[in-house]
Amino acid sequence: MTRKARTNPFNFGALALDTAFADRAEELDELTADIRNGQDVVIFAPRRSGKTSLIWRAATRLAGERVLVAQVDLMTTPTKEGLAAALAKTIHEQIASPLERVRERALAPFRGLTVQPTINVDPEDGSLSFSFGVARRKAAIDATLERLLELPAELGGSRDRRTGLVIDEFQEIVEIDAGLPKLLRSVFQRQPEVAHVYLGSKQHVMERIFNDANEPFWRSAKAVELGSIPTEPFAAFLVDRFHEGGRQVEDAIVADVLARTGGHPYATQELCYFLWEQAGPSAPAGRAELERALAAVLRSEHAHFSLLWEGASAVQKQVLRALSREPGHPFSAAYRDRHDLPAATNVQKALSALTKREIVSGEEGAYRIAEPFLAEWLRANIGS
């Protein structure tokens, strides 16, 4: 009888669902309570740190409490009309439909919009999609968006149900239209019973939107810093996942994995995915398996890192090369001498650009490469 092959218990790239979701118990409890209470929240976190997975878990938990949470991703809505379509779809699916079992009643709130949507039915699963033609007047699409943003509060309030609206990639709001933040804020500040949760992958833009006194969203939401997962619970999670996948791993190797990734969720799942593949069914994964796994990660990320490198200026490349060998204080004369860097003003410009792209991070003048595994790739592929 053929034995069923084991499935790798780690995944990266997609949402971390169910048992694949790494320990963030405190953050999950806090976010769930905030949404339940109608508290607006902005989550500050580096890219690929598990923001969307955390929201998904919170929304799933809240569904059991009859709290309705709609979610929209602004990365997929480059125009006001696209944003209207995405809002209409998620509000219909996640709020209106659970409240109204009859389809026509669930669609009723969308019939009175200033710009009327075209509604299409998917022949395979029966789901609905909305589309809005380009409005002749700017005021018409603005009025439509305003009405859509009012619906979560009205629909939930009519049935005494709590609602929430999650807006992912929120920094794109200023790219869609510079006036949208003011429009959204004017609606949201009249909805104390609705939780608005803002996520974004460009941390410096998000910080400006919510921390600049001249911006409409200044101090409008509770700020949550989502950092790396603490070592002890993350280590226990990784060991458990190896066991669930029928493999074992040495404790020292788990510690080394977390030291290399800094507890970054995506990077840790990625490295452990390849480490599990290298591990045998009997002996625990050790040093040799870890080195092969790291080599596999670097091969997997080669195209991505090559694009980052090609997009960097000459001085940025010098700085990256130096930081890959020695995280530290690139402005100091001693550091620049050791790594043959140009004048401090040129280094500062390079670091500013790299920090905005979240490739490098710095605190109190000390800088390091923040992009997981990029330092290892640079040491392996870029000469001195």
Side-chain angles (χ1 to χ4, degrees), residues 202-204 351-360:
K202 296 178 181 176
Q203 193 168 352
H204 68 285
L351 282 170
S352 177
L354 292 169
T355 301
K356 283 185 178 179
R357 295 172 64 192
E358 298 186 18
I359 298 173
V360 164

Side-chain angles (χ1 to χ4, degrees), residues 69-375:
V69 180
Q71 303 183 49
V72 62
D73 184 352
L74 298 194
M75 194 62 78
T76 64
T77 63
T79 64
K80 287 183 177 180
E81 290 76 15
L83 175 57
L87 282 169
K89 181 176 177 61
T90 188
I91 292 169
H92 174 264
E93 290 181 352
Q94 304 302 326
I95 298 179
S97 291
L99 293 175
E100 297 286 358
R101 295 183 181 276
V102 179
R103 172 173 282 183
E104 282 306 308
R105 289 182 180 176
L107 284 172
F110 305 94
R111 301 294 190 193
L113 295 172
T114 303
V115 179
Q116 279 291 296
T118 299
I119 303 173
N120 296 307
V121 181
D122 189 310
E124 294 186 4
D125 60 14
S127 64
L128 301 185
S129 63
F130 295 73
S131 61
F132 291 80
V134 177
R136 294 181 180 179
R137 296 181 298 109
K138 175 179 179 293
I141 191 63
D142 285 352
T144 299
L145 285 169
E146 183 173 359
R147 182 65 189 132
L148 286 167
L149 294 167
E150 291 171 343
L151 288 178
E154 291 186 11
L155 294 173
S158 68
R159 297 297 183 86
D160 196 27
R161 297 280 291 274
R162 283 285 185 177
T163 57
L165 177 62
V166 177
I167 308 180
D168 205 352
E169 301 295 352
F170 186 70
Q171 76 279 340
E172 298 302 313
I173 197 75
V174 295
E175 297 295 330
I176 299 172
D177 189 284
L180 274 178
K182 186 176 180 180
L183 172 63
L184 267 64
R185 181 66 183 136
S186 69
V187 176
F188 293 168
Q189 65 186 0
R190 304 194 302 267
Q191 300 176 335
E193 72 282 11
V194 178
H196 305 98
V197 183
Y198 312 98
L199 315 176
S201 60
K202 296 178 181 176
Q203 193 168 352
H204 68 285
V205 181
M206 292 289 288
E207 289 173 349
R208 186 179 70 244
I209 291 173
F210 288 92
N211 294 338
D212 188 333
N214 297 313
E215 294 290 337
F217 278 90
W218 177 60
R219 300 189 68 178
S220 65
K222 171 185 173 182
V224 174
E225 297 275 354
L226 196 63
S228 298
I229 300 174
T231 299
E232 188 173 338
F234 209 175
F237 167 82
L238 297 177
V239 170
D240 287 345
R241 295 296 286 163
F242 268 92
H243 287 169
E244 289 171 15
R247 301 283 190 271
Q248 295 182 344
V249 59
E250 296 175 5
D251 290 342
I253 296 303
V254 172
D256 197 352
V257 165
L258 293 174
R260 289 173 183 266
T261 64
H264 188 285
Y266 182 99
T268 304
Q269 292 263 9
E270 182 178 19
L271 182 53
C272 284
Y273 176 91
F274 288 106
L275 180 58
W276 187 91
E277 291 292 329
Q278 294 295 329
S282 54
R287 184 68 48 194
E289 288 78 14
L290 178 58
E291 293 305 319
R292 291 199 297 271
L294 181 58
V297 168
L298 298 185
R299 289 194 298 272
S300 175
E301 295 287 353
H302 183 77
H304 170 58
F305 290 154
S306 294
L307 286 174
L308 289 182
W309 181 252
E310 290 167 6
S313 69
V315 178
Q316 289 171 18
K317 289 176 178 178
Q318 286 180 277
V319 171
L320 285 172
R321 210 159 34 217
L323 290 175
S324 73
R325 298 194 296 269
E326 182 190 355
H329 297 76
F331 296 134
S332 71
Y335 187 99
R336 287 185 287 112
D337 287 343
R338 283 197 301 275
H339 298 284
D340 197 24
L341 294 178
T345 53
N346 293 335
V347 171
Q348 184 176 25
K349 289 179 182 177
L351 282 170
S352 177
L354 292 169
T355 301
K356 283 185 178 179
R357 295 172 64 192
E358 298 186 18
I359 298 173
V360 164
S361 65
E363 188 173 350
E364 297 181 354
Y367 288 83
R368 64 179 181 84
I369 292 178
E371 178 76 24
F373 307 117
L374 177 58

